[in-house]
Amino acid sequence: MYRYDEFDQTLINERAEQFRRQSARRLDGDINEDQFKPLRLMNGLYLQLHAYMLRVNVPYGCLSAHQLRRLAHIARRYDKGFGHFTTRQNIQFNWISLTDTPDIMTELAEVDMNTIQSSGNCVRNITADHYAGRARDEIEDPRVWCELLRQYSVLHPEFSYLPRKFKLALTGSPHDRAAVAVHDIGLRLHHDNQGRPGFEVIVGGGQGRTPVIGKTIRQWIEPRHVISYVEAILRVYNLYGRRDNIFKARIKILVNAIGIDKFRKLVDTEWEQIRDTGLQVSNTEFERINAHFLPPDYENLADQGDELAAKRTREPAFDAWMRSNVTGHKVPGYAIVNISLKAPGRIPGDISADKMEHVAALADQFSFGELRVNHRQNLTFVDVRQIDLYLLWEQLVALELATANIGLASDIIACPGLDYCALANARSIPIAQDISLHFANSGKLQQVGNLTINISGCMNACGHHHVGNIGILGVNKRGKEYFQLTLGGSADEHASLGIRLGRGLPRAEVPGAIERIVDTYLTIRQATETFLQTYRRIGIEPFREAVYGPVNVSRRVA
Amino acid sequence: MPLTNSHQNIIDPYIKIGPDDSLPAEGALLVTLAVWQDHWERLMRRQELIGVQLTSDEHPEIISDDIDQLDLIALEFPTFRDGRAYSYARLIRERYGFTGELRAVGDVLLEQLHYMERVGFNSFEVLSNDPATDFEIAANDFTVWYQTSGDQRRTATMLRQGKKNHG
Ligand code: SF4
């Protein structure tokens, strides 16, 4: 993974010192909260319901064991002993004091980490496929480009006051694990018909109040031009994005208002002027960064067929874990292992300082000292020897980190909601806990198979409810929490937005409603259809009926 | 409003002229776009310093043909959150080739001075008793930059490659 050199290090240190001075001015009363707010936000420090929250970037989800130990230390020393992994592959600390923040930044800088632009109307942490560089279906590893774009966007003098926040995601695989279609810019590495690698550029996707699937602005662009192309998009957006209404300020609104063709014309005109300037990525720079992403020293191993099969037959729990949490690796004899942070009844994405340290030790022992944070709020070891899988599983079981539910119904995404977030209408976490416990007790998890349930505490959609196969949105009706269900959302290469099922339900009715939806699916599915496939074949009506009862005439008229 | 050219505090030689003001016979003038367009011929004939101030809704392309005639272009920040003028500044410097004074006016905060200088501004109206000292503080927070921009600073990539920037 990328390590800072002296230049990166100097910049990050200077940023930490700058914030130390800024917060001292605030604490001394030289500046007021209004003046301080934009400064702290540019450093990922939010004021939430009960305390400050600090969001730390995990660039495109890559984390070393060493860094994870430092995060554990921060959780213990400056927080209540917990961290919370987010859908942006970041980690948040929910109980931070302002006086400690400069020290935390210095501690982060020591391990090549920072909080720069993890908030604010600027380019946010860049996200990527968490299997990047390891996935069997991958065409090209996007991580070098992620790092180039990270450096390009950090403290950009022109684009630090955009109309609104700006999110980029990259993937190099046909199967999209990075949800690139619901980002301001999504970049998909693929080959053109002559086999040359290049980026498909998708623009104007997003969630929030106005969910939009992004549109392809360019089918293929040479990688060395990707930064100038991104700059052209950012400049057009900076100049023409709406600034009069924060709910209409994202790039998706601009793209929809003028249409993708006109938008493309503006971008291309701008791009023509800058494509051959210093923004081109030189081979030297590519090679310098690429050297950080060379594969580790893999051993010459064969895939473990029979032995693993024997262990799986003997141990059904191991078998269940293998089926949902472990996936193929492009190198023979290795596997990708997901560690679920979604044990039934627990807060999705939360992990204690003790467990962080244990996970760091396991990463050292089993996966070359590195791991990934993935956008479904779980952790991933990308380089595990297949001969070690059983041993790793046993150790994870001992740590209560072997929940076998990756991609299954209890692998729920939930935003912090009303337990922490000042903008929330409703609590997300308890709903996630209710549902995951419900599934754990029903024993149907494996039978139901792949199903994503995403929960947001308000329209801002941080819990990605629009793209959950089942989405749950917290709403507030006359001071009471209700939950609105949507069906049919998906964040992969066939991205789609969920459709509203019906009126909002009180919290107590949500698990039962989910159960009826799932039972309906089990009854009408054909062969090996997933929930989403069944839904797409049959439509929403049977599910609606299952939750709200048969359609009567009066409802039809209404 | 106090003004600095980033090295020292300066006295503004320009008189600001809006649509309702009559054009004085003498003196350096900083006029709005409307005044510039309405009195273009008269203003071009003057020998004294002349500048145009643009709001953030006014794209500088409108005056790009006149740029060689101008001594000053002032760009407004109606609020510090409105970042359009950062892009305008780069276009004015890097695309339209303006070499005169490029001034930031409006909601210009200490923390933004550094970015403003990087995109090409070289004078700043700041609500402060001593903007030059403010500038000194704000502009020296960083010694490393990742991006090329109008200011010819050497980026991290250039430093890594030991390249000299002949800009
Ligand atoms: S979706 Fe709403 S409640 Fe949830 S974290 Fe985002 S802003 Fe807060």
Side-chain angles (χ1 to χ4, degrees), chain A residues 89 128-132 135-138 170-180 374-376 491-493:
Chain A
Q89 300 179 311
D129 181 357
H130 49 284
Y131 296 165
R136 276 193 181 153
D137 66 336
E138 188 171 84
L170 284 80
T171 181
S173 289
H175 179 51
D176 179 6
R177 286 169 291 260
V180 300
N374 73 51
H375 88 275
R376 292 201 60 89
D492 63 12
E493 64 278 17

Side-chain angles (χ1 to χ4, degrees), chain A residues 9-65:
Chain A
Q9 191 66 58
T10 304
L11 190 152
I12 298 306
N13 291 348
E14 287 173 347
R15 176 61 157 197
E17 284 313 304
Q18 181 193 44
F19 188 75
R20 189 177 293 280
R21 284 192 292 276
Q22 290 167 345
S23 53
R25 280 163 61 210
R26 172 74 191 106
L27 292 166
D28 291 346
D30 292 347
I31 51 175
N32 61 32
E33 173 55 25
D34 273 357
Q35 294 164 312
F36 182 59
K37 187 176 169 190
L39 307 180
R40 65 171 165 76
L41 285 181
M42 287 284 187
N43 289 290
L45 188 64
Y46 286 77
L47 191 52
Q48 296 221 310
L49 284 175
H50 314 291
Y52 282 102
M53 177 273 275
L54 185 65
R55 184 181 294 149
V56 180
N57 294 318
V58 179
Y60 35 95
C62 293
L63 195 63
S64 71

Side-chain angles (χ1 to χ4, degrees), chain A residues 5 8 14 21 154 158 161, chain B residues 87 112 141 143 146 160:
Chain A
D5 69 3
D8 303 302
E14 287 173 347
R21 284 192 292 276
V154 164
E158 182 180 351
Y161 295 91
Chain B
S87 289
Q112 273 89 45
D141 282 343
T143 59
Y146 282 132
R160 280 179 186 123

Side-chain angles (χ1 to χ4, degrees), chain A residues 255-366:
Chain A
V255 174
N256 280 352
I258 66 174
I260 184 68
D261 293 326
K262 186 151 180 226
F263 184 79
R264 180 182 297 118
K265 221 167 164 182
L266 286 171
V267 169
D268 284 350
T269 309
E270 181 57 37
W271 185 52
E272 282 307 317
Q273 308 262 355
I274 58 174
R275 55 178 283 178
D276 298 318
T277 62
L279 292 169
Q280 262 196 54
V281 178
S282 69
N283 289 340
T284 329
E285 185 58 4
F286 180 89
E287 288 307 331
R288 182 185 79 82
I289 293 182
N290 194 39
H292 292 269
F293 295 104
L294 297 178
D297 286 332
Y298 292 121
E299 292 164 49
N300 227 330
L301 298 170
D303 279 334
Q304 295 278 299
D306 297 348
E307 273 167 68
L308 267 181
K311 280 186 183 127
R312 289 175 72 161
T313 322
R314 264 204 318 273
E315 196 98 51
F318 177 62
D319 182 55
W321 180 79
M322 283 290 297
R323 240 184 299 142
S324 53
N325 292 32
V326 179
T327 192
H329 195 288
K330 68 180 184 190
V331 176
Y334 284 83
I336 297 174
V337 172
N338 289 292
I339 299 172
S340 169
L341 300 180
K342 316 283 180 66
R346 306 304 293 269
I347 299 175
D350 262 31
I351 180 169
S352 70
D354 289 352
K355 281 191 180 161
M356 283 187 226
E357 276 169 356
H358 288 303
V359 170
L362 292 177
D364 277 334
Q365 192 184 343
F366 293 105

